[in-house]
Amino acid sequence: MWAWGGNSSSQLGDNTTTSRTAPVQIGAARSWSKISAGSNHSAAVAADGTLWTWGLNSSSQLGLNDTTTRTIPTQVGTATDWSRVACGGSFTVAMKTDGTLWAWGDNMWGGFANGTAGSGGSSAPTLVNSISDVAWIAMGKRFAVGVKGDGTAWSWGDNNFGELGYGGTADKRSP
């Protein structure tokens, strides 16, 4: 895996806070299958199904049960059935091979898709019960979208500019 760009929050994962104008290799000893870059943190799923995060962690967006910034990829729990991950501004969502969706970090804009919003969130992966059979996920800074196994698209979170795509601008706290 290779990264470059701003690195003030260690979001590149190269054990520094030095910005890079050329690619630098990250996590050389591991084979990676999926990666996502958020505003100030990053995450990746390794080929063995483990989940790794690094960068700013002020809202527990790394899912490591604390708020300590990490300068290198750090494993989240011990599960080996992660399939995809997406990073937003201060929260993260990931899915497992069984189609379940998990969220952690800040829930200010309703990223947990549980009908609530507020500055509280979770410091570890928390099951999102309002959507299942997820096949694909992506995130913006304050919202998330998912595609279910039947091909239908779902979105939730901040919607000030109509980014949820349902024809209005009201925020949605559930998919």
Side-chain angles (χ1 to χ4, degrees):
M1 165 173 52
W2 298 80
W4 56 93
N7 196 28
S8 61
S9 300
S10 300
Q11 63 265 44
L12 297 184
D14 68 346
N15 206 25
T16 75
T17 56
T18 303
S19 294
R20 306 290 183 172
T21 58
V24 59
Q25 192 167 14
I26 309 300
R30 186 159 297 282
S31 177
W32 303 100
S33 66
K34 305 287 188 296
I35 187 168
S36 178
S39 297
N40 292 298
H41 74 291
S42 301
V45 176
D48 64 3
T50 55
L51 180 63
W52 301 74
T53 58
W54 59 95
L56 184 67
N57 195 29
S58 59
S59 298
S60 298
Q61 61 264 48
L62 300 185
L64 301 169
N65 287 310
D66 61 31
T67 55
T68 303
T69 294
R70 300 304 198 289
T71 62
I72 59 172
T74 303
Q75 189 172 347
V76 178
T78 59
T80 59
D81 58 346
W82 296 103
S83 62
R84 295 188 182 277
V85 64
C87 299
S90 57
F91 71 108
T92 307
V93 296
M95 56 182 272
K96 291 192 172 191
T97 56
D98 65 1
T100 57
L101 190 67
W102 300 73
W104 58 94
D106 192 1
N107 192 34
M108 181 61 76
W109 299 280
F112 285 26
N114 62 5
T116 67
S119 59
S122 176
S123 62
T126 302
L127 180 63
V128 175
N129 288 315
S130 58
I131 188 169
S132 60
D133 189 32
V134 180
W136 179 84
I137 55 173
M139 291 180 61
K141 185 173 183 179
R142 299 182 202 170
F143 69 96
V145 294
V147 174
K148 293 179 70 163
D150 64 6
T152 58
W154 299 74
S155 59
W156 61 95
D158 181 53
N159 194 37
N160 287 341
F161 304 102
E163 54 266 56
L164 299 184
Y166 69 85
T169 57
D171 296 349
K172 297 292 181 182
R173 304 302 181 218
S174 296

